[in-house]
Coordinates of all heavy atoms in Angstrom, one line a residue:
M951 N 0.8 -1.2 0.0 CA 0.0 0.0 0.0 C 0.9 1.3 0.0 O 1.9 1.3 0.7 CB -0.9 0.0 1.2 CG -2.1 0.9 1.0 SD -3.4 0.8 2.2 CE -3.4 -0.8 2.8
T952 N 0.4 2.2 -0.7 CA 1.2 3.5 -0.8 C 0.7 4.5 0.2 O -0.5 4.6 0.4 CB 1.1 4.1 -2.2 OG1 1.4 3.1 -3.2 CG2 2.0 5.3 -2.3
K953 N 1.6 5.1 0.9 CA 1.3 6.2 1.8 C 1.3 7.5 1.1 O 2.3 7.8 0.4 CB 2.3 6.2 3.0 CG 2.4 4.9 3.7 CD 1.2 4.6 4.6 CE 1.3 3.3 5.4 NZ 0.1 3.0 6.1
V954 N 0.3 8.3 1.4 CA 0.2 9.6 0.7 C 0.1 10.8 1.7 O -0.6 10.6 2.6 CB -1.0 9.7 -0.3 CG1 -1.0 10.9 -1.1 CG2 -1.0 8.5 -1.2
L955 N 0.8 11.8 1.4 CA 0.7 13.0 2.2 C 0.5 14.2 1.3 O 1.2 14.5 0.4 CB 2.0 13.3 3.0 CG 2.0 14.6 3.8 CD1 1.1 14.6 5.0 CD2 3.4 14.9 4.2
R956 N -0.6 14.9 1.5 CA -0.8 16.2 0.8 C -0.3 17.3 1.7 O -0.7 17.5 2.8 CB -2.3 16.4 0.5 CG -2.8 15.6 -0.7 CD -4.3 15.5 -0.8 NE -4.6 14.5 -1.8 CZ -4.6 13.2 -1.6 NH1 -4.4 12.7 -0.4 NH2 -4.9 12.3 -2.5
C957 N 0.6 18.1 1.1 CA 1.2 19.2 1.8 C 0.2 20.1 2.4 O 0.3 20.6 3.5 CB 2.2 19.9 1.0 SG 3.4 20.9 1.9
S958 N -0.9 20.4 1.7 CA -1.9 21.3 2.1 C -2.6 20.8 3.4 O -3.0 21.6 4.2 CB -3.0 21.5 1.0 OG -3.5 20.2 0.7
D959 N -2.6 19.5 3.6 CA -3.2 18.9 4.8 C -2.4 19.2 6.1 O -2.8 19.1 7.2 CB -3.4 17.4 4.7 CG -4.5 17.0 3.8 OD1 -5.3 17.9 3.4 OD2 -4.6 15.9 3.3
V960 N -1.1 19.6 5.8 CA -0.2 19.9 7.0 C -0.3 21.4 7.3 O 0.1 21.8 8.4 CB 1.3 19.6 6.6 CG1 2.2 19.7 7.8 CG2 1.4 18.1 6.1
G961 N -1.0 22.1 6.4 CA -1.2 23.5 6.7 C -0.5 24.5 5.8 O -0.6 25.7 5.9
F962 N 0.2 24.0 4.7 CA 0.9 24.8 3.8 C 0.0 25.1 2.6 O -0.8 24.2 2.2 CB 2.2 24.2 3.3 CG 3.2 24.1 4.4 CD1 3.5 22.8 5.0 CD2 3.9 25.2 4.8 CE1 4.4 22.7 6.0 CE2 4.9 25.1 5.8 CZ 5.1 23.8 6.4
E963 N 0.1 26.2 2.0 CA -0.6 26.5 0.7 C 0.2 25.9 -0.4 O 1.1 26.6 -0.9 CB -0.9 28.0 0.6 CG -2.0 28.5 1.5 CD -2.3 29.9 1.2 OE1 -2.3 30.3 0.0 OE2 -2.6 30.7 2.1
C964 N 0.1 24.7 -0.6 CA 1.0 24.0 -1.5 C 0.3 22.8 -2.1 O -0.6 22.1 -1.5 CB 2.2 23.5 -0.6 SG 3.4 22.5 -1.5
E965 N 0.6 22.6 -3.4 CA -0.1 21.5 -4.2 C 0.7 20.2 -4.1 O 0.2 19.2 -4.7 CB -0.3 21.9 -5.6 CG -1.2 23.1 -5.8 CD -2.6 22.9 -5.4 OE1 -3.1 21.8 -5.9 OE2 -3.2 23.7 -4.7
A966 N 1.8 20.2 -3.4 CA 2.6 19.0 -3.5 C 2.0 17.8 -2.8 O 1.3 17.9 -1.8 CB 3.9 19.3 -2.8
V967 N 2.2 16.7 -3.5 CA 1.7 15.4 -2.9 C 2.9 14.5 -2.8 O 3.6 14.2 -3.8 CB 0.6 14.8 -3.8 CG1 0.2 13.4 -3.2 CG2 -0.6 15.7 -4.0
I968 N 3.1 14.0 -1.6 CA 4.3 13.1 -1.3 C 3.8 11.7 -1.2 O 2.9 11.4 -0.4 CB 5.0 13.6 -0.1 CG1 5.6 15.0 -0.3 CG2 6.1 12.6 0.3 CD1 5.9 15.8 0.9
R969 N 4.4 10.8 -2.0 CA 4.1 9.4 -1.9 C 5.3 8.5 -1.6 O 6.4 8.8 -2.0 CB 3.5 8.9 -3.2 CG 2.2 9.4 -3.6 CD 1.7 8.7 -4.9 NE 0.3 9.0 -5.1 CZ -0.1 10.2 -5.7 NH1 0.7 11.1 -6.1 NH2 -1.4 10.4 -5.9
A970 N 5.1 7.5 -0.7 CA 6.1 6.6 -0.4 C 5.5 5.3 0.0 O 4.3 5.2 0.3 CB 7.1 7.2 0.6
E971 N 6.4 4.3 0.2 CA 5.9 2.9 0.5 C 5.6 2.8 2.0 O 4.8 2.1 2.4 CB 7.0 1.9 0.2 CG 7.1 1.7 -1.3 CD 5.8 1.2 -2.0 OE1 5.2 0.2 -1.5 OE2 5.3 1.8 -2.9
T972 N 6.4 3.6 2.8 CA 6.2 3.5 4.3 C 6.0 4.9 4.9 O 6.4 5.9 4.3 CB 7.4 2.9 4.9 OG1 8.6 3.7 4.8 CG2 7.7 1.5 4.4
E973 N 5.5 4.9 6.1 CA 5.3 6.2 6.8 C 6.6 6.9 7.1 O 6.7 8.1 7.0 CB 4.6 5.8 8.2 CG 4.0 7.1 8.8 CD 3.3 6.7 10.1 OE1 2.1 6.4 10.0 OE2 3.8 6.9 11.2
E974 N 7.6 6.1 7.4 CA 8.9 6.6 7.6 C 9.5 7.3 6.4 O 10.1 8.4 6.5 CB 9.9 5.5 8.1 CG 9.8 5.1 9.5 CD 8.4 4.4 9.8 OE1 7.9 3.7 8.9 OE2 7.9 4.6 10.9
E975 N 9.3 6.7 5.2 CA 9.7 7.3 4.0 C 9.0 8.6 3.7 O 9.6 9.6 3.3 CB 9.5 6.4 2.8 CG 10.7 5.5 2.4 CD 11.9 6.3 2.1 OE1 11.9 7.0 1.1 OE2 12.9 6.2 2.8
V976 N 7.7 8.6 4.0 CA 6.9 9.8 3.8 C 7.4 10.9 4.7 O 7.6 12.1 4.2 CB 5.4 9.6 4.0 CG1 4.6 10.9 3.9 CG2 4.8 8.6 3.0
L977 N 7.7 10.6 5.9 CA 8.1 11.6 6.9 C 9.5 12.2 6.4 O 9.7 13.4 6.5 CB 8.3 10.9 8.3 CG 7.0 10.8 9.1 CD1 7.3 9.9 10.3 CD2 6.4 12.1 9.5
K978 N 10.3 11.3 5.9 CA 11.7 11.7 5.4 C 11.5 12.7 4.3 O 12.1 13.7 4.2 CB 12.5 10.5 5.0 CG 14.0 10.7 5.1 CD 14.7 9.4 4.8 CE 15.7 9.6 3.7 NZ 16.1 8.3 3.1
K979 N 10.7 12.2 3.3 CA 10.5 13.1 2.1 C 9.8 14.4 2.5 O 10.1 15.4 1.9 CB 9.6 12.3 1.1 CG 10.4 11.2 0.3 CD 9.5 10.7 -0.8 CE 10.2 9.5 -1.5 NZ 9.3 9.1 -2.7
A980 N 8.9 14.3 3.4 CA 8.1 15.5 3.8 C 9.1 16.5 4.5 O 9.0 17.7 4.3 CB 7.0 15.1 4.7
A981 N 10.0 16.0 5.3 CA 10.9 16.8 6.0 C 11.8 17.5 5.0 O 12.1 18.7 5.0 CB 11.8 16.0 6.9
E982 N 12.3 16.8 4.0 CA 13.1 17.4 2.9 C 12.3 18.4 2.1 O 12.8 19.5 1.8 CB 13.6 16.3 1.9 CG 14.7 15.4 2.5 CD 15.0 14.2 1.6 OE1 14.4 14.1 0.5 OE2 15.8 13.3 2.0
H983 N 11.1 18.1 1.9 CA 10.2 19.0 1.1 C 10.0 20.3 1.8 O 10.2 21.4 1.3 CB 8.9 18.3 0.8 CG 7.9 19.3 0.2 ND1 7.8 19.6 -1.1 CD2 6.8 20.0 0.8 CE1 6.8 20.4 -1.3 NE2 6.2 20.7 -0.2
V984 N 9.6 20.3 3.1 CA 9.3 21.5 3.8 C 10.6 22.3 4.1 O 10.5 23.6 4.1 CB 8.5 21.3 5.2 CG1 7.1 20.7 4.9 CG2 9.3 20.5 6.1
Q985 N 11.7 21.6 4.2 CA 12.9 22.4 4.4 C 13.4 23.1 3.2 O 13.8 24.2 3.2 CB 14.0 21.4 4.9 CG 13.9 21.1 6.4 CD 14.9 20.1 6.9 OE1 15.2 19.2 6.2 NE2 15.4 20.3 8.1
S986 N 13.3 22.4 2.0 CA 13.7 23.0 0.8 C 12.7 24.0 0.1 O 13.1 25.0 -0.4 CB 14.2 22.0 -0.2 OG 13.1 21.2 -0.6
V987 N 11.4 23.6 0.2 CA 10.4 24.4 -0.5 C 9.8 25.4 0.4 O 9.5 26.6 0.0 CB 9.3 23.4 -1.0 CG1 8.2 24.3 -1.7 CG2 9.9 22.4 -2.0
H988 N 9.6 25.1 1.7 CA 9.0 26.1 2.6 C 9.9 26.7 3.6 O 9.5 27.4 4.5 CB 7.8 25.3 3.4 CG 6.8 24.8 2.4 ND1 6.0 25.5 1.6 CD2 6.5 23.5 2.2 CE1 5.2 24.7 0.9 NE2 5.5 23.5 1.2
N989 N 11.2 26.5 3.4 CA 12.2 27.1 4.1 C 12.1 26.9 5.6 O 12.4 27.8 6.4 CB 12.3 28.6 3.8 CG 12.9 28.9 2.4 OD1 13.9 28.3 2.0 ND2 12.2 29.7 1.7
L990 N 11.5 25.8 6.0 CA 11.4 25.5 7.4 C 12.8 25.0 7.9 O 13.2 23.9 7.4 CB 10.3 24.4 7.6 CG 9.6 24.5 8.9 CD1 8.6 25.7 9.0 CD2 8.7 23.2 9.1
K991 N 13.4 25.7 8.8 CA 14.7 25.3 9.3 C 14.7 24.0 10.1 O 15.6 23.2 10.1 CB 15.3 26.4 10.0 CG 15.5 27.7 9.2 CD 16.9 27.8 8.6 CE 17.0 29.0 7.7 NZ 16.5 28.8 6.3
E992 N 13.7 24.0 11.0 CA 13.7 22.9 11.9 C 12.3 22.1 11.8 O 11.3 22.8 11.8 CB 13.8 23.4 13.3 CG 14.9 22.7 14.1 CD 15.1 23.4 15.5 OE1 15.9 24.4 15.6 OE2 14.4 23.0 16.4
I993 N 12.4 20.8 11.9 CA 11.1 20.1 11.9 C 10.8 19.8 13.3 O 11.4 18.9 14.0 CB 11.3 18.7 11.1 CG1 11.9 19.0 9.7 CG2 10.0 18.0 11.0 CD1 11.1 19.8 8.8
S994 N 9.9 20.5 13.9 CA 9.5 20.3 15.3 C 8.7 19.1 15.5 O 8.1 18.6 14.5 CB 8.8 21.6 15.8 OG 7.5 21.7 15.1
D995 N 8.6 18.6 16.7 CA 7.7 17.5 17.0 C 6.3 17.8 16.6 O 5.6 16.9 16.1 CB 7.7 17.2 18.5 CG 9.1 16.6 18.9 OD1 9.9 16.2 18.0 OD2 9.3 16.5 20.1
E996 N 5.9 19.0 16.7 CA 4.5 19.4 16.3 C 4.3 19.2 14.8 O 3.3 18.7 14.4 CB 4.3 20.9 16.7 CG 2.9 21.3 16.7 CD 2.7 22.8 16.8 OE1 3.6 23.5 17.4 OE2 1.7 23.3 16.4
V997 N 5.3 19.6 14.0 CA 5.2 19.4 12.6 C 5.2 17.9 12.3 O 4.4 17.4 11.4 CB 6.4 20.1 11.8 CG1 6.4 19.7 10.4 CG2 6.3 21.6 12.0
V998 N 6.0 17.1 12.9 CA 6.1 15.7 12.7 C 4.7 15.1 13.0 O 4.2 14.2 12.2 CB 7.2 15.0 13.5 CG1 7.1 13.5 13.5 CG2 8.5 15.5 13.1
E999 N 4.1 15.5 14.1 CA 2.8 15.0 14.5 C 1.7 15.3 13.5 O 0.9 14.5 13.1 CB 2.4 15.5 15.9 CG 3.0 14.7 17.0 CD 2.9 13.2 16.8 OE1 1.7 12.7 16.6 OE2 3.9 12.5 16.8
K1000 N 1.8 16.6 12.9 CA 0.8 17.0 11.9 C 1.0 16.2 10.7 O 0.0 15.8 10.1 CB 1.1 18.5 11.5 CG 0.3 19.5 12.4 CD 0.5 20.9 11.7 CE 0.0 22.0 12.6 NZ 0.3 23.3 12.1
V1001 N 2.2 16.0 10.3 CA 2.5 15.2 9.1 C 2.0 13.7 9.3 O 1.3 13.2 8.4 CB 4.0 15.2 8.7 CG1 4.3 14.1 7.7 CG2 4.5 16.5 8.3
R1002 N 2.3 13.2 10.4 CA 1.9 11.8 10.7 C 0.4 11.7 10.6 O -0.1 10.7 10.1 CB 2.4 11.4 12.1 CG 2.9 10.0 12.2 CD 3.3 9.7 13.6 NE 4.7 9.9 13.9 CZ 5.6 9.0 13.6 NH1 5.4 7.9 13.0 NH2 6.9 9.3 13.9
A1003 N -0.3 12.6 11.2 CA -1.8 12.6 11.2 C -2.4 12.8 9.8 O -3.5 12.3 9.6 CB -2.3 13.7 12.2
A1004 N -1.6 13.4 9.0 CA -2.2 13.8 7.6 C -1.9 12.6 6.6 O -2.4 12.6 5.5 CB -1.6 15.1 7.1
I1005 N -1.0 11.7 7.0 CA -0.7 10.6 6.0 C -1.9 9.7 5.8 O -2.5 9.3 6.8 CB 0.5 9.8 6.6 CG1 1.8 10.7 6.5 CG2 0.7 8.6 5.7 CD1 3.0 10.0 7.2
Q1006 N -2.1 9.4 4.6 CA -3.3 8.5 4.3 C -2.8 7.4 3.4 O -1.8 7.4 2.7 CB -4.3 9.3 3.5 CG -5.0 10.4 4.3 CD -5.9 11.3 3.5 OE1 -5.8 11.4 2.3 NE2 -6.9 11.9 4.2
D1007 N -3.6 6.3 3.4 CA -3.3 5.2 2.6 C -3.9 5.4 1.2 O -5.0 6.0 1.1 CB -3.9 3.9 3.2 CG -3.2 3.5 4.5 OD1 -2.0 3.7 4.6 OD2 -3.8 2.9 5.3
E1008 N -3.2 5.0 0.2 CA -3.8 5.1 -1.1 C -4.0 3.7 -1.7 O -3.2 2.9 -1.6 CB -2.8 5.9 -2.0 CG -3.4 6.2 -3.4 CD -2.5 7.2 -4.2 OE1 -1.5 6.7 -4.6 OE2 -2.9 8.4 -4.3
Ligands
ZN551 ZN1 4.7 21.9 0.2

């Protein structure tokens, strides 16, 4: 099953959709995405929790 994260579900005005095989991969890709695209310097626990909660199965 594929895990999907819509960046907009995390609270960003962003059309990006991140897909990966596992939740850990999605979290990793999401962290890279928000750091490079949204200039977020630090991924706080709060952001991680938001991302985790927003991940859906596809
Ligand atoms: Zn984004």
Side-chain angles (χ1 to χ4, degrees):
M951 200 169 331
T952 307
K953 303 287 182 185
V954 185
L955 172 74
R956 282 168 190 80
C957 197
S958 57
D959 287 346
V960 187
F962 294 105
E963 285 185 36
C964 178
E965 296 294 313
V967 179
I968 293 158
R969 286 186 173 83
E971 289 301 307
T972 65
E973 192 176 280
E974 282 65 35
E975 266 303 294
V976 174
L977 283 168
K978 206 176 127 199
K979 287 187 180 184
E982 287 170 6
H983 171 82
V984 296
Q985 283 177 320
S986 63
V987 179
H988 301 297
N989 289 316
L990 209 72
K991 299 267 177 274
E992 230 176 274
I993 310 297
S994 65
D995 288 348
E996 196 189 334
V997 171
V998 172
E999 278 313 305
K1000 269 190 192 172
V1001 169
R1002 218 182 268 279
I1005 292 173
Q1006 295 175 335
D1007 293 326
E1008 189 172 71

